[in-house]
Amino acid sequence: MNENCNKWHEQIKTLREKHAEFRQTYAEALKFAEQNPKIRETSFASCRVLFNEIKPLVMALREDFPRITKEQKAELKLLKTNFDALPDLHEGIKWEDVEKSLIASPDAINKLRALDEKGHEMNVFGEKNGEIQFRSAQTDVTKIAEEHRTIMYDKKAQTDHPEFNVNGNAVDIAASMGVELADKELYEQLLVKIGWVWLETDASSRKKGWCRFGIYNRVDERDADGHTDHGSFCAALRVKKA
């Protein structure tokens, strides 16, 4: 996919250069034609030559460039708004690189959109190992959709406690959406202000019956069957940088 992205980038660069040249030539031709109306047709000849060079470039780009849906475009616009609102989360990362990476991975846009529809307010939380890291930036858990709240940590907790009426579990919900639970390091970059969220928990801790969760200004551990209407999970997604 990176090879294709580089190809699109070069195509766009060439097209922009040709377009700039066309606009300059057209402006000069227009000025010359105004001063010499008798030879107007000749003055625009170079414009037609340039236009004929630009047209196949546009057609090639339209043929090769990945098509994204109206809904995906809307999600990119929302992500850009969220990105600009919290610049300290991703210092040194350019939105252009984020956008290019997402367009190269349209399925990632769908996953982020699905999470945003549930109120997670996804945002960029940095870059690591050649991947752009996305995470829920929702700091008020009560604004996350009800079906993503009042949940246990995993299926085992649900199976062990069938007496509780919950909306599922964090591990399975995240997996069904194609994402992961954020780890301790990601959570500590932006803390929740209202409520708490399940976080990634290592196997040894889980065997002891404890799972990580983020609450206000700290990361702690609690029983895997913990659940309240102000408890959810912190979603995370890694997208390969294009």
Side-chain angles (χ1 to χ4, degrees):
M1 208 57 167
N2 278 347
E3 184 178 342
N4 283 337
C5 283
N6 290 332
K7 178 183 176 182
W8 300 326
H9 182 71
E10 288 303 317
Q11 284 178 312
I12 292 170
K13 182 181 177 183
T14 302
L15 190 56
R16 283 176 175 164
E17 290 172 351
K18 285 289 183 184
H19 183 250
E21 184 182 353
F22 176 80
R23 290 185 62 182
Q24 178 66 28
T25 303
Y26 182 80
E28 292 173 356
L30 187 62
K31 184 177 179 181
F32 185 78
E34 288 172 351
Q35 296 171 352
N36 304 274
K38 292 183 178 180
I39 54 172
R40 181 182 181 87
E41 183 68 20
T42 305
S43 61
F44 283 96
S46 56
C47 291
R48 281 192 293 275
V49 171
L50 276 171
F51 180 80
N52 289 331
E53 290 181 9
I54 291 173
K55 188 176 180 179
L57 290 172
V58 174
M59 298 305 293
L61 189 58
R62 287 181 62 184
E63 188 70 27
D64 294 339
F65 204 73
R67 291 167 174 79
I68 60 175
T69 65
K70 184 190 301 183
E71 292 76 16
Q72 289 171 331
K73 288 178 181 177
E75 176 61 21
L76 287 175
K77 185 176 180 180
L78 174 61
L79 287 168
K80 175 67 162 59
T81 300
N82 293 346
F83 182 90
D84 291 340
L86 296 171
D88 291 344
L89 292 179
H90 33 255
E91 188 175 351
I93 296 179
K94 297 179 180 179
W95 170 253
E96 290 74 18
D97 291 335
V98 176
E99 184 177 46
K100 185 167 70 169
S101 300
L102 287 173
I103 289 175
S105 305
D107 189 49
I109 305 177
N110 295 336
K111 292 175 182 178
L112 294 168
R113 178 169 172 259
L115 288 163
D116 277 331
E117 287 178 344
K118 299 299 182 183
H120 285 271
E121 294 188 1
M122 301 304 290
N123 210 322
V124 177
F125 275 69
E127 181 185 330
K128 187 176 181 180
N129 299 327
E131 296 175 318
I132 296 174
Q133 295 183 306
F134 292 85
R135 200 209 92 178
S136 171
Q138 179 59 264
T139 58
D140 182 351
V141 174
T142 63
K143 291 182 179 179
I144 294 175
E146 187 177 350
E147 58 265 38
H148 283 193
R149 293 183 282 125
T150 312
I151 57 176
M152 295 184 184
Y153 177 75
D154 58 10
K155 190 68 175 179
K156 184 179 186 306
Q158 274 190 270
T159 303
D160 291 345
H161 298 280
E163 70 275 17
F164 293 129
N165 183 25
V166 295
N167 293 322
N169 67 82
V171 171
D172 284 353
I173 293 174
S176 71
M177 303 188 81
V179 299
E180 303 172 319
L181 300 184
D183 59 20
K184 179 177 182 289
E185 180 183 0
L186 268 179
Y187 174 76
E188 290 175 337
Q189 291 184 48
L190 183 69
L191 312 176
V192 296
K193 297 177 181 177
I194 300 174
W196 57 271
V197 288
W198 288 118
L199 301 173
E200 181 185 66
T201 302
D202 60 273
S204 60
S205 295
R206 180 64 187 94
K207 283 181 181 179
K208 297 173 185 176
W210 296 92
C211 299
R212 280 201 177 104
F213 74 108
I215 181 166
Y216 309 131
N217 63 347
R218 72 182 192 278
V219 173
D220 211 333
E221 293 180 330
R222 69 179 303 161
D223 291 330
D225 61 347
H227 59 278
T228 70
D229 64 357
H230 57 271
S232 182
F233 68 95
C234 190
L237 177 67
R238 293 172 292 176
V239 177
K240 187 174 182 179
K241 186 176 180 180

